[in-house]
Amino acid sequence: MTTQDIQALSPAVPTSKGVLSRLSPLYGLLPLVAFLLFFFVGPLLLNLAESLGMTQAGIDFAQYRRIFADIYYLRVIAETIILGVAVTVICAIIGYPLAYAIARSSGLQKSLLIFAIVIPLLVNVVVRSFGWMVLLSGKGALNWVLSSFGLPTLSLMYHWGGVTIALVHVMLPFMVLSLASTLETLDPRLEEAAAVLGASRFATFRRIVLPLSLEGLMTGSILVFTLCVGSFVTVMLLGSTSTMVLPLLIYQQLNIASDWPFAAAMGMVLLTIVMSVLWLQARLRRTKWRAS
Amino acid sequence: MNSLPLWHRLFVAAVVIFLAAPVLIIVGVAFTSAEFVTFPPRGFSLRWFEKVLTDAQFMVPLWNSFLLGVASTATSIVLAVPAAITLVRNQVPMKDAVLAFMLSPLSLPTIILATSLLFFLARFGLGTSPVGLLIGHVIITVPYVLRTLLGVYAGIGPETEEAARTLGAGRWRTFWHVTLPMIRPGLLAGGILAFLLSFDEVAVALLLSTTDTTTLPVSLLSYLVYNYDPAVAAISTVQIVIVVVLLLILERCFGVNHLVLPSK
């Protein structure tokens, strides 16, 4: 077939209309893309420039040297990451049985369980943290219960303990919903088959259910970790000066010290932590896809 | 669930109690007649509700939060509807990348968004203007609206719209009389979700609001730093009631199960 033949067969392309008209169906994307480029990407680039001192003259890494040369800031970064990991692990352990129960229930029971998760999710973080203040403070509800049973009272507020409990409460719904949406798609007959073939409940869980729900576990864990390292309200209300995390430090540098370049640099550190975790997730997913 | 072993059912009950505890305790404390937050709560009265519902310190931020939530929702819908229609119905080059870009604000810590936006807007003299606050909230809410709309619209075939076009309806008429009614569940669910997110947002509002434009969560946060009385519990109860009512509407119109879990 010659080139002329192909040209004769293919429908005529209106040559008078250029690239613009062929792109015209994409006009619908324009408002949102423009909005995000201008108000989302723009500010992030400016934040980067600010952290490198580019708003004055030249590039310097002074702000980053300040962070990485000071043991206090390094400790805050380390403790932010440790807190994130701890909350993620606890959420996974507590959330898994609940997610499984949701996936295996139906009707009213299922709706009630979902409501039990969604309502706290929608109650403001400030309000929930206040609830934990009432529960955990020195003369709070928990100590009232403990002392009425003649048990020693606990002082969880203003320590990592109280902060961790409250953060687990804030993050748990995200973990449960991620796990439940994967477990939903899991065919119960797989477990029945394993049981019929003589596997114990634990063996079925370890060899069938857990491997097949790894996707949801990973999605939930990444979500909880990234949300956790970025949250500061709970730490602000339940913590003290000895429980400092990166986002709260950024807020203080900005609001109290008015040190914009330093706040910008710490923002970039936080962004790097979040991005590396997301990159890790994308990489794991690709490896898994190749393996299958 | 009934087939689960006893320990599992007890564990689920314990986790549900853990989830409900701080919410229930606040509602309990709000009805106390005592001067301070004490445990167990003493007496029963509505005095704290009376205080907060007549106090401008709480009512102005509540109104601000409501206005900001409505404005953010409306702006998000205006931006997300054309984008969702285009993504579903047209051959978009690098569709996955475009979608990932549009949803990327979801994975960014809001404190970074808030500080960056403050630096940026301050250059235009809009540092703490209501417009800046709206922009910040739309960046947070628009990905949720887009995702909800995509979920609904992708499940609808193009046949009805094509039929309307064949019968002579123009582009706008088709959109207004055919497309829009079909995506209404998505608009409603996405809209309520956007409103709730904006209503609850703290970081952006904390950095970009002034004493005149402060929102309810921010005013609660600053109140809590200096005070510890049942007034906060009362206004929180009001907030919880608003959220639960919206959630029940969402459940009736859309089904929360379908919204948070994939439908089988």
Side-chain angles (χ1 to χ4, degrees):
Chain A
M1 211 188 274
T2 64
T3 324
Q4 277 84 0
D5 288 334
I6 291 173
Q7 270 172 358
L9 280 172
S10 61
V13 177
T15 45
S16 59
K17 293 183 184 172
V19 182
L20 257 182
S21 81
R22 257 185 286 142
L23 284 177
S24 70
L26 302 185
Y27 282 159
L29 296 176
L30 216 64
L32 185 54
V33 170
F35 177 83
L36 288 178
L37 280 179
F38 197 71
F39 291 116
F40 177 62
V41 179
L44 283 179
L45 291 177
L46 186 72
N47 190 80
L48 178 66
E50 182 93 42
S51 76
L52 293 169
M54 275 160 70
T55 42
Q56 276 91 42
I59 293 180
D60 75 83
F61 292 91
Q63 304 303 336
Y64 292 95
R65 273 202 295 276
R66 241 174 100 192
I67 297 173
F68 290 105
D70 193 326
I71 189 76
Y72 174 73
Y73 298 127
L74 289 176
R75 217 187 69 202
V76 169
I77 294 172
E79 285 180 345
T80 306
I81 296 173
I82 294 170
L83 180 67
V85 171
V87 169
T88 309
V89 171
I90 297 171
C91 281
I93 295 171
I94 298 180
Y96 205 104
L98 181 55
Y100 187 83
I102 290 174
R104 288 289 171 269
S105 58
S106 56
L108 184 66
Q109 210 164 38
K110 186 181 203 123
S111 295
L112 285 177
L113 282 176
I114 289 180
F115 260 71
I117 291 161
V118 175
I119 288 180
L121 186 69
L122 296 176
V123 173
N124 192 282
V125 179
V126 179
V127 176
R128 279 191 278 171
S129 301
F130 173 60
W132 283 108
M133 286 165 78
V134 178
L135 281 166
L136 299 178
S137 69
K139 287 184 174 168
L142 182 67
N143 280 341
W144 177 73
V145 173
L146 285 175
S147 60
S148 56
F149 280 103
L151 294 164
T153 56
L154 296 167
S155 59
L156 290 164
M157 231 174 107
Y158 309 120
H159 296 288
W160 286 114
V163 171
T164 311
I165 293 174
L167 269 175
V168 165
H169 182 263
V170 174
M171 301 300 163
L172 190 60
F174 296 104
M175 179 65 88
V176 173
L177 290 177
S178 305
L179 281 169
S181 27
T182 309
L183 288 168
E184 272 295 273
T185 59
L186 197 72
D187 194 336
R189 281 174 297 184
L190 285 173
E191 292 159 64
E192 283 158 22
V196 169
L197 294 169
S200 66
R201 262 181 199 278
F202 181 71
T204 314
F205 169 73
R206 200 174 64 84
R207 314 239 334 237
I208 311 280
V209 181
L210 188 61
L212 286 172
S213 61
L214 273 183
E215 178 81 24
L217 190 61
M218 195 169 76
T219 313
S221 300
I222 303 278
L223 187 64
V224 168
F225 180 83
T226 52
L227 285 172
C228 194
V229 295
S231 66
F232 63 98
V233 172
T234 311
V235 190
M236 199 169 165
L237 289 174
L238 286 150
S240 63
T241 44
S242 62
T243 58
M244 185 51 79
V245 289
L246 207 43
L248 188 54
L249 200 59
I250 295 172
Y251 170 69
Q252 288 187 346
Q253 288 298 323
L254 203 71
N255 228 32
I256 299 162
S258 283
D259 193 342
W260 285 24
F262 194 50
M266 282 194 291
M268 293 316 291
V269 173
L270 181 57
L271 187 62
T272 312
I273 296 172
V274 171
M275 296 301 274
S276 358
V277 175
L278 293 174
W279 174 80
L280 199 72
Q281 181 192 29
R283 226 187 107 103
L284 283 173
R285 192 167 275 164
R286 212 174 311 137
T287 329
K288 208 185 120 202
W289 175 71
R290 262 201 220 116
S292 62
Chain B
M1 166 113 181
N2 295 324
S3 63
L4 299 175
L6 184 65
W7 70 264
H8 195 150
R9 275 182 281 163
L10 288 176
F11 188 87
V12 168
V15 176
V16 169
I17 291 171
F18 168 75
L19 280 168
V23 179
L24 293 179
I25 206 104
I26 286 168
V27 178
V29 166
F31 290 97
T32 184
S33 58
E35 204 55 51
F36 304 102
V37 176
T38 51
F39 210 88
R42 240 166 274 149
F44 176 88
S45 85
L46 296 173
R47 61 177 282 204
W48 293 107
F49 285 96
E50 199 189 323
K51 178 184 160 29
V52 296
L53 292 173
T54 53
D55 189 345
Q57 193 184 354
F58 294 108
M59 282 304 108
V60 171
L62 180 63
W63 181 239
N64 286 343
S65 279
F66 175 77
L67 287 181
L68 184 61
V70 170
S72 311
T73 306
T75 316
S76 299
I77 287 176
V78 169
L79 290 171
V81 168
I85 291 176
T86 312
L87 280 169
V88 173
R89 289 287 184 260
N90 291 304
Q91 293 285 330
V92 177
M94 297 187 299
K95 193 180 241 168
D96 290 346
V98 172
L99 187 60
F101 170 66
M102 287 174 167
L103 298 179
S104 63
L106 287 175
S107 33
L108 188 84
T110 45
I111 184 79
I112 302 177
L113 178 68
T115 52
S116 310
L117 209 55
L118 181 63
F119 297 154
F120 186 78
L121 294 171
R123 311 208 143 220
F124 300 94
L126 294 169
T128 49
S129 67
V131 181
L133 207 51
L134 175 63
I135 291 170
H137 274 207
V138 171
I139 295 173
I140 294 172
T141 53
V142 79
Y144 288 94
V145 178
L146 180 69
R147 208 165 53 174
T148 316
L149 278 176
L150 284 176
V152 172
Y153 197 50
I156 301 170
E159 300 81 13
T160 323
E161 285 160 348
E162 279 163 10
R165 293 301 296 273
T166 314
L167 292 170
R171 209 180 265 263
W172 279 105
R173 222 167 142 203
T174 310
F175 171 74
W176 201 250
H177 291 288
V178 180
T179 313
L180 213 52
M182 287 196 302
I183 59 172
R184 197 151 38 192
L187 281 178
L188 195 74
I192 291 182
L193 205 57
F195 179 84
L196 287 171
L197 282 163
S198 164
F199 201 69
D200 269 2
E201 202 281 334
V202 184
V204 169
L206 189 61
L207 287 176
L208 297 180
S209 69
T210 62
T211 42
D212 290 332
T213 58
T214 187
T215 63
L216 186 61
V218 172
S219 72
L220 279 180
L221 188 61
S222 32
Y223 189 84
L224 272 177
V225 173
Y226 301 106
N227 307 277
Y228 188 66
D229 67 33
V232 182
I235 190 76
S236 301
T237 305
V238 173
Q239 200 258 356
I240 292 168
V241 170
I242 294 172
V243 163
V244 171
V245 167
L246 280 176
L247 191 68
L248 287 173
I249 295 174
L250 203 62
E251 164 73 17
R252 274 204 75 119
C253 300
F254 202 76
V256 171
N257 295 15
H258 300 291
L259 199 68
V260 296
L261 296 174
S263 44
K264 280 190 196 171

